[in-house]
Amino acid sequence: MALDIRVFEERDIDALVEILKLNHQYDYPEVEGPDAMRRVARCACAVFLVAAIDQEPCGLIRAVYDGSRALIHLLSVHPERQHSGIGAALVDAAWQELRRRGAAGVSATVTERSLPFWNRAGFSRLPVLLALRTAGQSA
């Protein structure tokens, strides 16, 4: 079984939504759902890669590079495939693409629980917080 990392394709949507739900990363369907995936795939600043084994998606990574900063904001691997190197392979592939586009470094949004993975991948914790405002919230 060979791991293939490739650019997102629309046929991946159902499997990726399932992976996100299994990992409790589907809190905002308007941001992570099918329509969002389609928008991200069309965005020139985005890197949207899928890991597949035997053509079946088993993970995804999404990142952006705006010409100055690069940010990995979503990494998810099917629970049955975690701890097998897929997440690290996705991070490496995204980093290679971000560097190809000119990024000098990359940050990642992480959870406390996932911090050990990111440390092993060469990332160090920064003293920042993230805040979210959705379309349904007023200023």
Side-chain angles (χ1 to χ4, degrees), residues 5 84 112 117 132:
I5 297 181
S84 65
E112 286 288 334
F117 165 84
L132 173 68

Side-chain angles (χ1 to χ4, degrees), residues 49-107:
L49 303 176
V50 173
I53 296 175
D54 298 327
Q55 299 184 19
E56 181 64 30
C58 59
L60 69 125
I61 192 165
R62 287 186 9 198
V64 293
Y65 176 59
D66 66 3
S68 177
R69 293 190 179 265
L71 174 67
I72 296 170
H73 59 89
L74 180 61
L75 172 65
S76 194
V77 175
H78 192 286
E80 294 176 1
R81 299 286 188 177
Q82 292 177 4
H83 308 287
S84 65
I86 294 170
L90 282 164
V91 170
D92 288 346
W95 174 227
Q96 287 176 17
E97 177 58 21
L98 293 164
R99 286 193 53 153
R100 187 192 70 74
R101 294 181 186 196
V106 61
S107 301

